[in-house]
Amino acid sequence: MAILKVARLGHPVLRKVAEPVAIEGIKSPQVQQFIDDLIETMIEYDGAGLAAPQVHVSQQIVVFEVQGNPRYPDAESIPLTVLINPKITPQTKEADEDWEGCLSVPDLRGKVPRFTQVKIEAYDRQGKRLNYVAKGFEARVAQHECDHLLGKVFLDRMTSMESLSFVKEFMRYQIGKQAEKE
Ligand code: NI
């Protein structure tokens, strides 16, 4: 296991369209080791998710998991998920705006509209086909992570930059009222 270096905005790897993974290679020790490292790196930096291009590997692999994450204390939990060559299809025209951050865009938060319900088609880490519908925060995280495979970051999806905040100011002015009471 290894903690991988996270690419920050400006690194060209974050703007490339990632290559699909060869299905016959999913069970190889190299791919399995890489998935383990991706998960370990996500956990180390308290990410809700991480996409392979964020660790300088331009391949279509994302991981996400939310369980008592200090970066997202009020978020509903999401089981550990590995998606390989994912395809995301909106199941509704309805979009919700909520706050997002990204390990590749450190220290910033912004409000991003995302579809509230999406179909996810992908392979899991055993090479089994996945086909399911995700809603709410899980749908948001899946859209955020899969965007990285298209060379997109959350800033590209914001319809206005007005909400863009540094984490310190976000804590003070967006969740400050809660903290003041304590
Ligand atoms: Ni991200």
Side-chain angles (χ1 to χ4, degrees), residues 55-72:
V55 294
H56 310 84
V57 175
S58 193
Q59 295 217 1
Q60 294 181 17
I61 304 176
V62 307
V63 298
F64 49 86
E65 178 183 37
V66 175
Q67 268 166 25
N69 188 320
R71 273 164 56 95
Y72 300 93

Side-chain angles (χ1 to χ4, degrees), residues 12-27:
V13 72
L14 293 173
R15 292 311 194 172
K16 280 173 68 178
V17 176
E19 296 288 329
V21 177
I23 306 310
E24 58 278 11
I26 288 180
K27 284 187 172 173

Side-chain angles (χ1 to χ4, degrees), residues 49-51 54 101-105 144-145 148 152-154:
L50 197 59
Q54 291 184 272
C102 180
L103 296 179
S104 295
V105 188
H144 175 119
E145 296 313 327
H148 281 298
K152 297 287 182 195
V153 298
F154 76 88

